[in-house]
């Protein structure tokens, strides 16, 4: 990438009618799984309890803690827990009945949840530090042989929180953080599964709490690695725990790779993240006949390669903001399944021996870091805003711009949001279907990368698409929102609700150039639809989707989701998500056969097929 200052270039600088891509904004509100409005409590949380003196600072940028980490480890809670004198091998049930002990352990949590925001806290255990009196011989001295006893520790800890807060326990509990990388301590298909089941049964018997797991790392969401070697383990986990598990949770990251004066991003977003969720939901739907809610309890910028991930750095700050925004665009497009997300940012991460601020919103003195721009970009949006249907250009290519749209009748605003995956400027033509509105002037807010690789946010810059025939220009790797003042009586009049139906099969081998599956579809009039086909094959193989037929009718309009791992030398598979337009008139049967035709006879898999349908529903937008 050539290092030149990147100014925020608005439509006034556009001198040609050429566009890199188009985004269509339709005159319909768009709910997914019944979720229509922007809900800050689902999307504005960060990891870790806030230091009490930084709570006002966090509230000033409209974020609060969404995840209480490591309570079992801090202050040696589990390690110092005495044995029950009346039940050998189990924790003493009276240990946390001491009010002074409760105050010591739980007062910061209570301060966090009592400062004006809804308590949507996720509590998570590390489950690696236990008292010496409990037998851990089968797990290298880091986990009890008696899983029921381990689950009892969790139950008594939550009981202590319940007693101290008079019932204000976290609504969610993740059983163990990232157990898939603790394979030498916990067998994923036996120990991890039985531990989740035991904890869920105990917590459900006492409390109104949702149990989540397995809280996987982002590594294993790249599920096609090593010929899908982790997938059978995840299937066994699901088979054992699905009846007890309320929510499926995992982590999702992109990485920054720096080489000299160039950089690139690799990781889950957007194609691999969507492909993993479709595969998961396909299997769960086949197993239970319904979907499972999802929590992404950590996401954003993960590894940094080529430079220090801890030293002060403009490019690290930019990458943190940029990766978070990219993930958010994908999450908002999957509201049907994603219950909530928690970004991996902390109020302040500094501690003895660790001075880095690269995941911190504030310094220890309460001064804001650049990372607060993550929340400043989004914090104009409230529950007064609802999502509007958009579509990307079906040009047969991998898209480089992800769109969203929201509007507020209360504020008389319509906002178009665009996130660019390209390191080149992107000229985007905004098409308002059938000219349902014809906006011209507005204000733009944009986060870009500037000279010296530093992130810059510019607020409310004026623009006029009336002079550019609907074109706007995105700087390289930019996230922008374009706000138009649109009276409420010109905003959408109807609401569509999207529901996803899955193919009967997952990880279908390609044989004789084809892969086939069937989808069972509910009766009822469908207004619009699209088909997501996820594929995987080795990078050493050449293959592509030639065509897709739906009940023998060819679908030929499509684009591909952006694959950040396309140029990742550490990944040996290509995982693509192909999104096909489906004419609603083709969906006149309750049984739909999908055939995917490929250029290569035997190479690769169709990992899942998802048919997303939209039907009219009553609207509450006023």
């Amino acid at each position: 990438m050539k290092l030149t200052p990147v100014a925020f270039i608005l439509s006034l600088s556009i001198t040609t009618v050429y566009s890199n891509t188009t985004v269509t904004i339709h005159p319909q509100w768009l709910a997914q799984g019944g979720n229509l409005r922007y809900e800050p409590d689902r999307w504005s949380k960060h990891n870790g309890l806030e230091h009490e003196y930084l709570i006002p600072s966090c509230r000033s940028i409209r974020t609060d803690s969404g995840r209480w980490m490591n309570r079992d480890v801090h202050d040696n809670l589990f390690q110092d827990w005495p044995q029950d004198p009346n039940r050998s091998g189990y924790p003493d049930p009276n240990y946390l009945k001491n009010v002074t002990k409760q105050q010591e352990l739980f007062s910061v949590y209570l301060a966090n949840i009592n400062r004006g925001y809804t308590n949507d806290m996720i509590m998570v255990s590390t489950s690696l530090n236990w008292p010496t009196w409990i037998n851990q011989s089968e797990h290298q001295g880091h986990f009890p042989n008696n899983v029921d006893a381990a689950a009892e520790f969790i139950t008594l800890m939550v009981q202590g929180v319940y007693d101290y807060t008079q019932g204000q326990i976290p609504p969610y509990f993740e059983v163990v953080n990232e157990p898939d990388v603790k394979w030498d301590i916990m067998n994923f298909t036996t120990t991890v599964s039985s531990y989740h089941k035991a904890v869920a049964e105990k917590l459900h018997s006492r409390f109104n709490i949702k149990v989540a797991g397995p809280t996987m790392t982002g590594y294993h969401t790249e599920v096609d690695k090593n010929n899908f070697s982790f997938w059978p383990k995840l299937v066994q986990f699901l088979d054992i725990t699905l009846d007890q598990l309320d929510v499926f949770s995992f982590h999702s990251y992109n990485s920054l790779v720096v080489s000299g004066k160039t950089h690139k991003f690799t990781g889950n977003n957007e194609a691999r993240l969507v492909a993993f969720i479709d595969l998961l939901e396909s299997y769960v739907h086949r197993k239970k006949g319904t979907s499972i809610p999802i929590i992404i309890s950590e996401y954003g910028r993960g590894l940094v390669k080529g430079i220090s991930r801890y030293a002060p750095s403009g490019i690290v700050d930019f990458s943190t903001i940029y990766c978070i925004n990219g993930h958010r665009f994908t999450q908002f497009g999957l509201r049907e399944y994603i219950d909530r997300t928690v970004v991996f940012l902390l109020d302040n991460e500094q501690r003895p021996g660790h001075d880095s601020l690269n995941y911190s919103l504030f310094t220890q003195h309460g001064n804001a870091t650049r990372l607060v721009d993550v929340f400043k970009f989004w914090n104009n949006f409230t529950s007064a805003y609802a999502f509007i249907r958009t579509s990307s250009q079906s040009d047969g290519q991998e898209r480089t711009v992800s769109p969203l749209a929201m509007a507020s009748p209360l504020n008389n605003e319509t906002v178009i949001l665009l996130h660019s995956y390209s390191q080149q400027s992107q000229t985007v033509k905004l098409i308002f279907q059938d000219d349902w509105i014809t906006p011209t002037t507005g204000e733009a807010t944009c986060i870009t990368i500037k000279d010296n690789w530093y992130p810059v946010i510019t607020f409310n810059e004026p623009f006029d698409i009336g002079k550019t025939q609907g074109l706007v220009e995105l700087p390289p790797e930019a996230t922008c929102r374009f706000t138009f003042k649109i009276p409420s009586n010109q905003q959408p009049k109807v609401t569509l609700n999207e529901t996803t139906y899955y193919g009967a099969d997952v990880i279908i081998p390609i044989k004789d150039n084809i892969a086939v599956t069937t989808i069972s579809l509910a009766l009822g009039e469908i207004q619009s639809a699209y088909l997501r086909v996820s594929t995987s094959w080795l990078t050493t193989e050449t293959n592509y989707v030639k065509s897709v037929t739906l009940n023998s009718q060819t679908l030929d309009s499509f684009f591909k989701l952006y694959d950040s791992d396309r140029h990742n030398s550490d990944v040996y598979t290509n995982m693509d998500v192909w999104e096909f337009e489906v004419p609603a008139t083709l969906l006149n049967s309750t049984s739909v056969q999908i055939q995917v035709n490929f250029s290569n006879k035997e190479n690769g898999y169709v990992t899942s097929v998802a048919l997303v349908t939209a039907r009219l529903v009553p609207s509450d937008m006023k």
Side-chain angles (χ1 to χ4, degrees), residues 28 61 137 144 182 193 219 228 233 262 299 308 326 364-365 377 383 407 414 489 521 555 557-558 589:
Q28 297 135 357
I61 58 170
S137 60
K182 302 167 185 174
S193 301
Y219 178 85
F228 297 90
K233 298 176 184 178
T262 65
Y299 74 92
S308 170
Q364 289 180 323
H365 300 292
F377 182 85
S383 58
T414 297
N489 62 3
L521 188 64
L555 308 178
S557 295
F558 73 93
S589 169

Side-chain angles (χ1 to χ4, degrees), residues 439-479:
T440 54
T441 60
E443 294 182 336
T445 293
C446 195
I447 300 178
T448 67
I449 186 171
K450 292 275 282 187
D451 48 318
N452 298 321
W453 279 359
Y454 281 90
V456 171
I457 186 168
T458 55
F459 289 98
N460 304 326
E461 297 281 341
F463 66 91
D464 187 349
I465 62 171
K467 295 180 178 180
T468 60
Q469 300 182 45
L471 298 176
V472 296
E473 188 163 342
L474 297 180
E477 296 178 323
T479 309

Side-chain angles (χ1 to χ4, degrees), residues 62-76:
R62 300 184 186 176
T63 182
D64 64 320
S65 173
R67 195 162 180 249
W68 184 8
M69 302 183 291
N70 305 326
R71 178 62 278 171
D72 58 315
V73 175
H74 290 165
D75 304 307
N76 294 325

Side-chain angles (χ1 to χ4, degrees), residues 27-76:
Q28 297 135 357
W29 301 110
L30 184 67
Q32 293 182 338
N35 298 306
L36 173 62
R37 294 179 181 270
Y38 182 85
E39 300 169 77
D41 284 338
R42 292 174 65 187
W43 315 111
S44 64
K45 309 292 186 178
H46 65 83
N47 262 263
L49 292 185
E50 297 156 355
H51 298 81
E52 289 190 57
Y53 74 93
L54 286 177
I55 291 176
S57 299
C58 291
R59 298 301 178 274
S60 73
I61 58 170
R62 300 184 186 176
T63 182
D64 64 320
S65 173
R67 195 162 180 249
W68 184 8
M69 302 183 291
N70 305 326
R71 178 62 278 171
D72 58 315
V73 175
H74 290 165
D75 304 307
N76 294 325

